Amino acid sequence: MSTVDEVTPALCEGLQQEEYEVLESIYPECISNEMTNNSLRLEIPVEFGAPRTVRVEQDTFNQNNTPSIPLLDISLSSLPPITLNVVLPALYPMKEPPTLTNIRAAHFWLPQIPRLHQVLTDLWQPGEGVLYNWIEFLRSGDFFDPVNLLDDNDDIR
């Protein structure tokens, strides 16, 4: 393989296309559109291996300025998908990270989108494709802890 000094946009474009084809073969249900102008949309369902307790809370404080009481605890095996709009810069994956232009959770269930954006961005390492890792990280629910969505009982809040 080329050294980092020999990285060209043409080399990176080939690596991007290869990464896209691998994702399309492994996760066809997550690819929402063809890659055009170096951008794509990933729609990633959040699926647990076993049902998990999800605590539904209001995002407000009561009159005493203390956090509100949970409204409901429910057991779920999946959550609505998270959609990532991604732009792959000319030198991705060798020298530049992908750019997340939008993160959206269906039905607005995810309150920590800015934190998730940072966590996903931090997963990229120069010279390595990261889209597969992003899909797995989100699909498996491994992102709940880094974005502070787990309580002391390991329940999702």
Side-chain angles (χ1 to χ4, degrees):
M1 167 134 316
S2 301
T3 66
V4 174
D5 295 335
E6 298 171 355
V7 171
T8 64
L11 170 68
C12 291
E13 183 178 348
L15 292 171
Q16 291 173 15
Q17 187 61 38
E18 183 179 308
E19 184 176 21
Y20 176 80
E21 290 169 2
V22 168
L23 289 178
E24 195 173 44
S25 69
I26 298 172
Y27 299 111
E29 71 281 2
C30 293
I31 309 293
S32 295
N33 64 342
E34 293 292 320
M35 187 164 62
T36 55
N37 298 322
N38 291 3
S39 67
L40 68 147
R41 181 178 317 138
L42 303 173
E43 189 170 313
I44 305 154
V46 180
E47 302 167 342
F48 312 124
R52 299 222 22 206
T53 299
V54 176
R55 180 160 291 136
V56 180
E57 298 178 344
Q58 288 181 331
D59 192 19
T60 60
F61 287 83
N62 64 21
Q63 294 171 321
N64 300 327
N65 204 29
T66 58
S68 61
I69 298 171
L71 296 176
L72 182 64
D73 283 350
I74 53 178
S75 181
L76 298 174
S77 57
S78 66
L79 288 169
I82 297 173
T83 301
L84 305 178
N85 290 334
V86 182
V87 174
L88 304 178
L91 295 178
Y92 169 81
M94 300 303 290
K95 290 187 173 185
E96 296 179 74
T99 302
L100 286 162
T101 59
N102 189 28
I103 300 175
R104 186 177 68 81
H107 309 294
F108 305 103
W109 64 266
L110 181 60
Q112 298 289 342
I113 288 178
R115 176 74 182 127
L116 178 60
H117 184 283
Q118 186 61 52
V119 168
L120 290 172
T121 301
D122 290 348
L123 290 175
W124 176 75
Q125 297 294 315
E128 297 180 16
V130 73
L131 300 180
Y132 173 87
N133 293 341
W134 282 0
I135 290 173
E136 273 301 301
F137 187 63
L138 295 172
R139 191 185 66 76
S140 66
D142 288 344
F143 68 96
F144 288 118
D145 190 34
V147 298
N148 301 319
L149 289 175
L150 295 179
D151 66 14
D152 294 336
N153 296 324
D154 210 28
D155 293 336
I156 301 164
R157 57 184 164 96

